[in-house]
Amino acid sequence: MIDVFLEAAKVFKYSENEVGASILFGLFAISWVVLRLIFFPFWVIRASSYYFVHHVPLAESYKTLLYYIFNMIVFHIYWWVLIYSMIMRQLSNNGKVREHTRSDSDDD
């Protein structure tokens, strides 16, 4: 669901519709916080680590799996910092989404 908002915002940005891009980027940021920073750690990780251990006999590889799941939350926090900095740049730029560094330019 999150990726749909981001990709739609890119489509609006490339078609030079700043309002649509800004709205969809806002929806992307809100859904990121709700799904990746609230739902994922407090429901998914808790269910897969705490409740699961009490009901299912686990293999040794389960600890490795948990390690990677907990690392995902670290990445989600890092990506949120990047998203937040983009929001702050957009607000300081009067609501316009600036070109990102990976955009191709025809001026070359």
Side-chain angles (χ1 to χ4, degrees), residues 32-83:
W32 184 276
V33 169
V34 170
L35 295 175
R36 302 267 174 110
L37 297 180
I38 296 172
F39 182 76
F40 182 70
F42 295 111
W43 279 276
V44 175
I45 291 178
R46 191 174 83 180
S48 65
S49 60
Y50 179 73
Y51 296 120
F52 196 69
V53 171
H54 296 296
H55 299 291
V56 178
L58 303 172
E60 288 297 318
S61 61
Y62 181 71
K63 292 178 184 176
T64 305
L65 176 66
L66 277 181
Y67 170 78
Y68 288 117
I69 289 174
F70 282 109
N71 276 340
M72 282 303 300
I73 192 65
V74 173
F75 285 120
H76 289 166
I77 292 169
Y78 172 72
W79 290 325
W80 170 246
V81 170
L82 296 177
I83 293 167

Side-chain angles (χ1 to χ4, degrees), residues 14-15 32 47 50 57 66 85 108:
Y14 294 144
S15 65
W32 184 276
Y50 179 73
L66 277 181
S85 67
D108 295 338

